[in-house]
Amino acid sequence: MNKKKTDLRIVRTKQSIRKAFYELIQEKGYEAITIQDIADRAMINRNTFYLHYQNKPDLLDTCMDELLSELQQTVVLCPFHMNPFRLSRLETVMQAVLEHISGSITLYYAMLVEESRIYPFRAKMEAIIKGKLDEGWNPAQGDSPLAVSKELLLEYLVSAFMGILIWWIKNDRPLSAAEVSSQFSNIVTYGHLRAAGIAVEE
Amino acid sequence: MNKKKTDLRIVRTKQSIRKAFYELIQEKGYEAITIQDIADRAMINRNTFYLHYQNKPDLLDTCMDELLSELQQTVVLCPFHMNPFRLSRLETVMQAVLEHISGSITLYYAMLVEESRIYPFRAKMEAIIKGKLDEGWNPAQGDSPLAVSKELLLEYLVSAFMGILIWWIKNDRPLSAAEVSSQFSNIVTYGHLRAAGIAVEE
DNA sequence: ATAAATAAACAACATCGTGTTCATTATTTA
DNA sequence: TAAATAATGAACACGATGTTGTTTATTTAT
């Protein structure tokens, strides 16, 4: 029952390090940041940095986890029971994600667009989305001539999902979250031809 | 009409640098490579490297362009006139790409999977695919209720395309190029529900 | 074949960022 | 108020980068 009393100094220092780091990522990109940059911005000694993080990648990992756990929360809260492959459900998730991202848009921009050297971030996001889409999966009943593997389909959906998302960020959100989500759903569900308004012969 | 006689030494040196670089990328990943590594492997003086390339990113750029111009060739040769959104055409392109990649699979693996810090590569590949898909585009006639923006649809297709492609590489090509391409086409064209064998109500 | 041109090698150097060590100072907790 | 410990500051070794000369080897042109 001993509440771990973390030294206030530690909390303060860690906070200012992360704050500085987030700012710098958005300003100059991850690669260009030096530990000294972070120390300067956080107004601490460079040495102090090493008291709390192993190195730059370590800090990045921690920050990514922090950021993504918020996204995870957002996604978890989405109503998405039963069959997740129905139109409205997919649409709901995408919309929730897009709106959440809007809250930290420049940071997500830096993480996903500008500096995609920050590879693990995209991968981790995909894992989150994938986990959601995987809920309540129902395999094809019987053998449809078109039946595809579950893995491939999941990958397909997640990739398209992330692609649209990044496109949306990159282009400064040209459509509303609702519009994007709706169009995405339409293509996914009805196929690209019908979605584009082209008649499709059976 | 003066054939530029490039000094043989230059050709030799450049070749061995690139060869060394390709090998090292596959062995330890781009980030971990030092100029000295390249010089050692290419059996040249470290200084000589700087006689031909500015720095590591410069070398990477050159090599990427080299590699991607081959891909470009492959894609250009694909029969893909008229409306590119018909099933078989899309399938054809994907299959051609997958087969081409198979020829340098470990290198593509390093470029796209292992070390996705090499961001521009994926982006450039996407641009190539996108360019191909963009050929002979016909916008929706009339206003279908589902009509989506061309840009969004292109982004959707390219993202799903690249996602499947990377998935395929990452998982050590679990299906044949033909099977993957066919399944991809089915999902794209008929929507994920019907492709997965789930009845879709209109 | 030989001389001029130039690529490559070799050594040296300044620069920068990293990560560590250690003694000292400041702050917090008990 | 004392003990614990976080933060500072200086110093250091290390490794990689990119540059500058000088010397050697190879190639091209005469």
Side-chain angles (χ1 to χ4, degrees):
Chain A
M1 301 305 168
N2 62 336
K3 42 177 76 177
K4 22 178 147 179
K5 293 208 174 188
T6 327
D7 197 313
L8 285 182
R9 286 171 292 183
I10 295 182
V11 184
R12 239 192 297 116
T13 303
K14 281 197 166 183
Q15 265 187 358
S16 52
I17 287 179
R18 297 206 191 173
K19 183 164 178 295
F21 188 51
Y22 281 139
E23 289 174 10
L24 287 166
I25 283 182
Q26 294 169 59
E27 286 172 28
K28 45 163 42 190
Y30 172 74
E31 300 293 341
I33 299 174
T34 71
I35 310 293
Q36 190 64 62
D37 287 337
I38 300 171
D40 288 346
R41 179 70 60 104
M43 287 183 293
I44 57 163
N45 192 276
R46 185 168 69 88
N47 240 332
T48 307
F49 174 89
Y50 290 106
L51 253 42
H52 299 285
Y53 301 97
Q54 300 259 326
N55 43 37
K56 209 171 58 155
D58 179 35
L59 173 60
L60 176 62
D61 284 346
T62 311
C63 288
M64 288 198 322
D65 288 347
E66 188 179 66
L67 198 60
L68 288 175
S69 78
E70 292 171 22
L71 178 68
Q72 182 71 271
Q73 281 309 308
T74 302
V75 166
V76 164
L77 295 179
C78 261
F80 199 64
H81 321 295
M82 315 302 290
N83 189 334
F85 293 101
R86 291 286 171 249
L87 173 65
S88 60
R89 310 288 165 75
L90 240 182
E91 195 173 336
T92 302
V93 174
M94 172 162 271
Q95 189 167 344
V97 171
L98 293 185
E99 276 164 1
H100 174 258
I101 282 175
S102 286
S104 316
I105 190 69
T106 54
L107 192 50
Y108 271 94
Y109 186 94
M111 289 287 200
L112 290 171
V113 181
E114 191 117 63
E115 188 85 32
S116 266
R117 298 169 179 265
I118 307 189
Y119 164 60
F121 192 79
R122 179 171 180 162
K124 286 181 179 181
M125 267 191 77
E126 285 178 354
I128 290 175
I129 306 298
K130 212 177 206 172
K132 186 65 179 182
L133 296 184
D134 203 11
E135 282 177 17
W137 163 273
N138 282 323
Q141 310 89 327
D143 36 13
S144 159
L146 299 178
V148 297
S149 86
K150 172 187 174 180
E151 278 190 52
L152 192 147
L153 179 52
L154 262 182
E155 196 61 44
Y156 172 96
L157 289 177
V158 142
S159 300
F161 191 109
M162 286 292 296
I164 294 295
L165 188 146
I166 292 172
W167 167 84
W168 187 69
I169 295 174
K170 203 185 302 185
N171 290 80
D172 202 19
R173 290 172 286 176
L175 307 174
S176 75
E179 284 169 325
V180 172
S181 308
S182 162
Q183 297 204 1
F184 172 73
S185 267
N186 284 338
I187 310 177
V188 166
T189 307
Y190 298 117
H192 67 301
L193 296 178
R194 285 180 56 197
I198 300 171
V200 51
E201 69 281 5
E202 297 292 318
Chain B
M1 301 304 167
N2 62 338
K3 43 176 74 177
K4 20 178 149 179
K5 294 208 175 187
T6 326
D7 199 313
L8 285 182
R9 286 171 293 183
I10 295 181
V11 184
R12 243 192 294 115
T13 302
K14 281 197 169 184
Q15 266 186 359
S16 51
I17 287 179
R18 297 206 192 172
K19 183 166 177 293
F21 188 53
Y22 282 139
E23 290 174 8
L24 286 166
I25 283 181
Q26 294 170 60
E27 287 172 26
K28 44 165 39 189
Y30 172 74
E31 299 293 341
I33 299 175
T34 72
I35 310 292
Q36 190 64 60
D37 287 336
I38 299 172
D40 288 345
R41 179 69 60 104
M43 286 182 294
I44 59 163
N45 191 277
R46 184 168 71 88
N47 240 334
T48 307
F49 175 89
Y50 290 104
L51 254 42
H52 300 284
Y53 301 96
Q54 301 260 325
N55 44 36
K56 211 172 56 156
D58 179 36
L59 174 60
L60 177 61
D61 284 345
T62 311
C63 288
M64 287 198 322
D65 288 347
E66 189 179 65
L67 198 60
L68 288 174
S69 78
E70 294 172 22
L71 179 67
Q72 183 70 271
Q73 282 309 309
T74 303
V75 166
V76 164
L77 295 178
C78 259
F80 199 66
H81 320 293
M82 316 300 290
N83 188 331
F85 293 102
R86 290 287 172 247
L87 173 66
S88 60
R89 308 289 166 74
L90 241 182
E91 194 173 337
T92 303
V93 174
M94 173 161 270
Q95 189 168 344
V97 171
L98 293 184
E99 274 164 2
H100 174 258
I101 282 175
S102 287
S104 315
I105 190 69
T106 55
L107 192 50
Y108 272 93
Y109 186 94
M111 290 285 199
L112 290 172
V113 182
E114 191 117 62
E115 190 84 31
S116 267
R117 297 169 179 266
I118 307 188
Y119 165 61
F121 192 80
R122 179 170 181 162
K124 287 181 178 179
M125 268 192 78
E126 285 177 354
I128 290 175
I129 305 296
K130 211 177 206 171
K132 186 65 179 181
L133 296 184
D134 203 12
E135 281 177 18
W137 163 272
N138 282 322
Q141 310 90 327
D143 36 13
S144 158
L146 299 178
V148 297
S149 88
K150 173 187 174 180
E151 278 190 53
L152 191 148
L153 179 52
L154 262 182
E155 195 61 43
Y156 171 97
L157 289 176
V158 142
S159 300
F161 190 109
M162 285 291 297
I164 294 295
L165 189 146
I166 292 173
W167 167 83
W168 187 70
I169 295 173
K170 203 185 302 187
N171 290 80
D172 201 17
R173 291 172 285 176
L175 307 173
S176 76
E179 283 169 325
V180 172
S181 309
S182 161
Q183 297 204 0
F184 172 73
S185 267
N186 285 336
I187 310 177
V188 167
T189 307
Y190 299 117
H192 66 300
L193 296 178
R194 285 180 54 199
I198 300 171
V200 51
E201 69 280 4
E202 297 292 315

